[in-house]
Amino acid sequence: MAIQFGGLNVTKEEKKIDFNGKSEHIKCLIIGSGPAGYTAAIYAARANLKPVIIQGMQPGGQLTTTTEVENFPGYPQGVTGPVLMEDLKAQAERFGTEIRWGEVTSVDFSVSPKRVIVDENQLITADAVIISTGATAKYLGLDDEKKYAGSGVSACATCDGFFYRGLKVAVVGGGDTACEEATYLSGLAEKVYLIVRKDFLRASKAMQERVFKNPKIEVLFNHNTKSLFGDGLLEGAVLIKNQGQANEEEVKIGVQGFFLAIGHTPNSKVFADYIETDVNGYIKTIPGTSKTNVKGVFAAGDIQDPVYKQAITAAASGCMAALDAEKYFAEMH
Ligand code: NDP
């Protein structure tokens, strides 16, 4: 329910925030700055939708934490993740996209224009919103992960692997990411343990083969992590082998690096009251489109893609979102 506040119609919740009576209206607001967000911006800017991007906690998105990207079309020699994102950003800016620091902290999509609050203190109203907030790496939930964050624990081998040259490391997970990260780390570390909770890898056959034939990688099937230890810096992990079985036993491994590669959580929480998601939090879109259950709100990239999760598919869905937004404006007038 809207009430008057400093010359603005604001909701009760928003009244608690001091906006100094100011809000700003934007035609097309893009939330998130990965390949989906930047591609949406390129198309939206060229269609004169005057897009503004709110970059989010990780400007440039997940690709800024990778090294070589060899499968993005148009780069026959490959490109690093950060350079690819800088290129996409520059292309979005070239057509007039405004790119801002900030994080969206709440939204109200029950009204038109949509209301978006940035950093808990700026109110933006927007005719159309494209959500491209991506996904975030999962952790096991151990207290020790926090204790050794930045001093042994990481969720990005390609970002932090360099610090473990010549040392022993562990990677947790049995999917493609875990296998890829273990393989990558084997080029730097002395030894890599791959900690897998089941008795098989769910990674693709090609990835599995790469892992199995790598002499530096030891796969520990049927192992779960109980705790981590070390005096200041990480020195090792305590694992449970065959958890819940008669032959359950505790195993200690000495590692200086502990890398999580157990999947991702879509960054949809802030939209959850308004936007329909699946059980895992991925935003639902009408098949073949970027349209969400709310008119004028579109979703692109990993936030709505539990399956492909590639830079190129994210970019393609960003294009779709901008085209859908353009059509939405055309139909409004
Ligand atoms: P996945 O969901 O495919 O795999 C997650 C892995 O982590 C599984 O082995 C899972 O075990 C394990 N896991 C989950 N939770 C825990 C836990 N609490 N404790 C221990 N282990 C746990 O995620 P990925 O990030 O690997 O891949 C996501 C998608 O991206 C996939 O579709 C993948 O194919 C794709 N991908 C493709 C790449 C490529 O083609 N180059 C590279 C990277 C990813 P369990 O099997 O027991 O459930």
Side-chain angles (χ1 to χ4, degrees), residues 140 173-177 180 197-198 202 207 261-263 307 309:
L140 295 170
D176 280 321
T177 304
E180 200 170 72
R197 66 179 172 182
K198 291 193 178 139
R202 78 156 72 176
M207 285 287 192
I262 58 171
V307 181
K309 298 165 180 275

Side-chain angles (χ1 to χ4, degrees), residues 34-274:
Y38 284 140
T39 307
I42 293 166
Y43 276 76
R46 294 185 80 250
N48 204 25
L49 301 188
K50 303 190 181 346
V52 172
I53 291 186
I54 306 295
Q55 290 188 115
M57 291 287 276
Q58 193 179 16
Q62 291 179 77
L63 273 188
T64 56
T65 64
T66 62
T67 50
E68 204 65 11
V69 179
E70 294 180 329
N71 52 9
F72 199 89
Y75 291 94
Q77 307 305 324
V79 61
T80 66
V83 168
L84 174 58
M85 295 321 297
E86 277 305 313
D87 284 352
L88 284 171
K89 183 178 179 219
Q91 198 171 350
E93 284 177 318
R94 180 182 153 205
F95 298 110
T97 304
E98 193 190 321
I99 297 167
R100 298 185 186 172
W101 288 97
E103 193 197 352
V104 169
T105 44
S106 65
V107 298
D108 182 354
F109 290 158
S110 67
V111 289
S112 250
K114 319 293 179 249
R115 309 173 79 88
V116 173
I117 293 174
V118 179
D119 292 338
E120 295 182 341
N121 60 18
Q122 299 154 49
L123 173 62
I124 289 173
T125 58
D127 292 321
V129 176
I130 295 174
I131 301 172
S132 49
T133 45
T136 301
K138 281 184 191 165
Y139 284 78
L140 295 170
L142 302 172
D143 286 342
D144 288 340
E145 287 171 313
K146 288 187 201 124
K147 185 172 170 189
Y148 295 102
S151 49
V153 171
S154 166
C156 179
T158 42
C159 324
D160 300 328
F162 190 72
F163 302 117
Y164 301 93
R165 279 166 299 161
L167 302 176
K168 290 183 179 163
V169 300
V171 176
V172 186
D176 280 321
T177 304
C179 290
E180 200 170 72
E181 303 222 325
T183 306
Y184 171 76
L185 286 167
S186 72
L188 296 163
E190 182 199 331
K191 182 180 176 80
V192 181
Y193 294 100
L194 186 59
I195 303 170
V196 184
R197 66 179 172 182
K198 291 193 178 139
D199 62 356
F200 63 89
L201 294 173
R202 78 156 72 176
S204 60
K205 280 278 169 283
M207 285 287 192
Q208 292 192 28
E209 272 169 31
R210 214 176 287 174
V211 163
F212 290 137
K213 70 177 188 210
N214 188 322
K216 278 189 171 178
I217 303 176
E218 184 180 344
V219 185
L220 302 175
F221 285 114
N222 297 311
H223 281 69
N224 281 280
T225 309
K226 182 183 173 193
S227 59
L228 305 173
F229 59 87
D231 187 9
L233 294 175
L234 182 72
E235 290 168 22
V238 180
L239 312 179
I240 308 283
K241 186 178 176 184
N242 300 320
Q243 193 163 10
Q245 312 290 316
N247 56 350
E248 175 178 308
E249 61 175 300
E250 216 169 85
V251 180
K252 267 190 191 173
I253 53 169
V255 288
Q256 290 77 47
F258 185 82
F259 291 87
L260 284 311
I262 58 171
H264 289 78
T265 306
N267 299 318
S268 60
K269 209 169 165 195
V270 74
F271 313 108
D273 287 346
Y274 302 95

